[in-house]
Amino acid sequence: MSASLEQRIAEVYQAESRRVLATLIRLLHGHFDMAEDALQDAFIAALSQWQRDGIPDNPRAWLVSAGRFKAIDQLRKSTRLDSCLEELAQTLEMESQIQSMDADDALEDDQLRLIFTCCHPSLAMESRIALTLREVCGLTTEAIAAAFLLPVPTLAQRIVRAKNKIRDARIPYEVPEPDALPERLEAVLSVVYLVFNEGYSASSGTQVIQGDLATEAIRLTRLLRDLLPNAEVTGLLALMLLHDARRNGRTSVDGDLIPLEEQDRSRWNQSQIREGCDLVIQALKAGPPGVYTLQAAIAAVHAEAPTAAATDWAEITGLYDVLLRQCSSPVVALNRAVALAMRDGPEAGLKAIDAFRNHKELQHYYLLHAARADLFRRLDRSQEAIQCYQQALDLVKQEPERRFLQQRLAMLQKK
């Protein structure tokens, strides 16, 4: 095989494999593992036949057709051992005779079906994340396990259980009806945002950023926006792009955390910032802003400030006020209190935090203690700051964040 043909087939795999898989899952009646095997068999057949005949005009349709017939062949062999598969084999053969693979076969709908199935609310959140990364994004089980610091067998079992739940509970492989779409879309966006957050700032481990996860979440959101234009999908994409734009400035060459006010803004990705800001405007024009659009608007104010000192904290605080009315999360309240401290001073920030700091959701949230420590430090209340930094250190799980807190603590203890 020539190097150019091999490269072209690799490009087809990169561009089409997840789309082909989504359609095969539908055609094979939700049998995920069978569809994955059929996908691999189809590409193995392509390596041989395309070398002889050339790449077809519609490689996606060719692969879908080849994959389905490979699955039928495999089912025919398996029915000798499992009679339960006979009916499925007959059904697939009948459908293959009446359905043409020459058209696109609603592949866009198939991708949406796959996304909504993997993110179904009846699945546990960790299962939704694992299944989405594996089936929609195409990450290997090993890569997902490494990203979340899980043993590979544990992650593999999580994926298996999710697939079994889909099969046993007969979760439909479909896009929700219009009246159910808002709630189901919210579940999908939650999964994608959790994936991004783990990439943007890992919950534990030795690195702040897991770039592959952040990049994959952005890619998935672009896909979702292409398939299902929606203001909040646009807002989420904007939010991710604006946060990710700061990637190169967030850590030192040694992997240490650099706080926002000390980052070299010339290292921020300006093209991502421009795109993100444009998307914020589009989302705001589309209707009343949702929680992702409001967070994106806050990120845009940060991104557009030429220096940390020039940040418009009044606008940020106002946006947090609106966000808090929509989402009464204690984490949002904490972020608003930090913005308020930047606008009105650390005393105002501490007073705001005191109003909710005993909330049960914040008891193990190290950033609550880190925020209070920073405000006490700015007020030269060293002993209270030291105590809060020590509380934060007891809870933090990411090593670069731990080192940052230890550095701040050491500076205070030297006084």
Side-chain angles (χ1 to χ4, degrees):
M1 182 186 300
S2 68
S4 59
L5 179 60
E6 188 173 350
Q7 176 63 28
R8 179 73 181 96
I9 292 176
E11 291 171 355
V12 170
Y13 184 88
Q14 182 69 26
E16 305 290 2
S17 61
R18 308 328 293 175
R19 299 179 182 183
V20 173
L21 177 65
T23 296
L24 286 173
I25 291 173
R26 172 173 59 84
L27 295 176
L28 299 177
H29 297 250
H31 287 259
F32 279 77
D33 293 339
M34 191 186 304
E36 290 172 0
D37 290 342
L39 174 69
Q40 297 306 317
D41 288 342
F43 270 97
I44 290 171
L47 287 172
S48 172
Q49 190 164 332
W50 293 0
Q51 184 177 7
R52 183 180 67 248
D53 302 334
I55 296 178
D57 292 336
N58 190 338
R60 188 191 309 173
W62 190 100
L63 289 162
V64 168
S65 181
R68 176 156 66 174
F69 285 113
K70 290 291 185 182
I72 292 173
D73 289 343
Q74 188 59 44
L75 276 170
R76 282 300 182 199
K77 296 174 183 177
S78 300
T79 53
R80 301 167 191 168
L81 302 174
D82 187 350
S83 59
C84 296
L85 297 176
E86 175 66 28
E87 184 179 350
L88 178 58
Q90 291 177 349
T91 301
L92 291 177
E93 282 193 316
M94 186 182 304
E95 290 174 346
S96 69
Q97 293 170 6
I98 62 175
Q99 294 179 359
S100 170
M101 288 295 104
D102 293 334
D104 243 6
D105 206 30
L107 287 178
E108 288 79 7
D109 286 344
D110 285 332
Q111 287 192 288
L112 271 180
R113 289 186 184 103
L114 181 57
I115 293 170
F116 277 100
T117 300
C118 291
C119 297
H120 196 277
S122 67
L123 300 174
M125 181 58 78
E126 60 268 19
S127 297
R128 295 184 218 171
I129 293 172
L131 199 58
T132 300
L133 288 173
R134 181 71 189 88
E135 304 300 334
V136 180
C137 302
L139 271 65
T140 66
T141 303
E142 291 76 11
I144 303 169
F148 288 92
L149 301 179
L150 290 170
V152 172
T154 300
L155 196 283
Q157 280 300 311
R158 188 170 290 176
I159 293 172
V160 168
R161 284 196 299 269
K163 292 177 180 177
N164 290 343
K165 176 70 176 288
I166 289 171
R167 182 196 64 212
D168 297 341
R170 298 185 178 181
I171 292 173
Y173 189 67
E174 64 184 15
V175 178
E177 293 298 321
D179 59 341
L181 190 56
E183 179 184 359
R184 289 290 306 281
L185 180 60
E186 183 180 350
V188 171
L189 297 184
S190 295
V191 171
V192 179
Y193 192 38
L194 282 170
V195 171
F196 177 80
N197 275 337
E198 190 63 26
Y200 175 77
S201 183
S203 56
S204 57
T206 60
Q207 295 180 320
V208 175
I209 301 166
Q210 299 191 76
D212 288 349
L213 282 184
T215 299
E216 200 55 45
I218 291 171
R219 189 191 71 81
L220 180 54
T221 309
R222 287 192 189 279
L223 169 65
L224 194 58
R225 183 169 179 264
D226 288 342
L227 300 177
L228 190 67
N230 174 279
E232 270 294 79
V233 179
T234 300
L236 179 57
L237 178 57
L239 175 61
M240 292 179 178
L241 287 171
L242 290 165
H243 280 326
D244 190 63
R246 303 201 298 260
R247 182 189 299 191
N248 291 336
R250 293 180 58 225
T251 56
S252 69
V253 292
D254 297 323
D256 287 330
L257 188 66
I258 301 175
L260 178 61
E261 64 271 17
E262 297 176 16
Q263 289 176 22
D264 179 356
R265 298 185 178 221
S266 68
R267 300 190 65 201
W268 291 2
N269 188 319
Q270 296 302 315
S271 64
Q272 278 190 214
I273 290 174
R274 286 192 296 272
E275 181 184 4
C277 290
D278 288 344
L279 289 171
V280 170
I281 294 171
Q282 291 177 35
L284 289 171
K285 287 181 177 178
V291 293
Y292 295 116
T293 298
L294 287 168
Q295 290 178 78
I298 292 168
V301 177
H302 281 295
E304 291 183 315
T307 64
T311 303
D312 190 341
W313 288 106
E315 183 174 359
I316 290 174
T317 304
L319 286 167
Y320 270 122
D321 288 339
V322 178
L323 179 59
L324 197 56
R325 286 196 291 271
Q326 286 200 27
C327 175
S328 57
S329 158
V331 174
V332 173
L334 176 61
N335 290 335
R336 178 195 173 275
V338 172
L340 186 69
M342 297 302 295
R343 188 190 74 179
D344 297 341
E347 286 280 11
L350 282 169
K351 183 178 179 180
I353 291 176
D354 285 342
F356 58 80
R357 71 185 178 96
N358 292 323
H359 195 288
K360 62 180 180 179
E361 290 184 26
L362 296 178
Q363 296 312 297
H364 301 288
Y365 191 55
Y366 87 93
L367 287 175
L368 168 70
H369 305 289
R372 295 186 73 234
D374 187 62
L375 296 178
F376 282 129
R377 180 182 61 84
R378 288 166 55 189
L379 289 167
D380 290 325
R381 292 162 62 176
S382 298
Q383 289 306 310
E384 290 159 296
I386 287 171
Q387 182 181 0
C388 288
Y389 277 129
Q390 288 171 336
Q391 288 175 301
L393 281 166
D394 288 339
L395 297 170
V396 70
K397 295 180 180 179
Q398 188 199 97
E399 285 306 314
E401 291 177 330
R402 178 182 298 281
R403 291 197 300 271
F404 175 77
L405 293 172
Q406 287 172 333
Q407 290 165 6
R408 286 287 172 91
L409 179 60
M411 290 172 61
L412 285 173
Q413 290 173 332
K414 287 179 181 178
K415 288 187 176 181

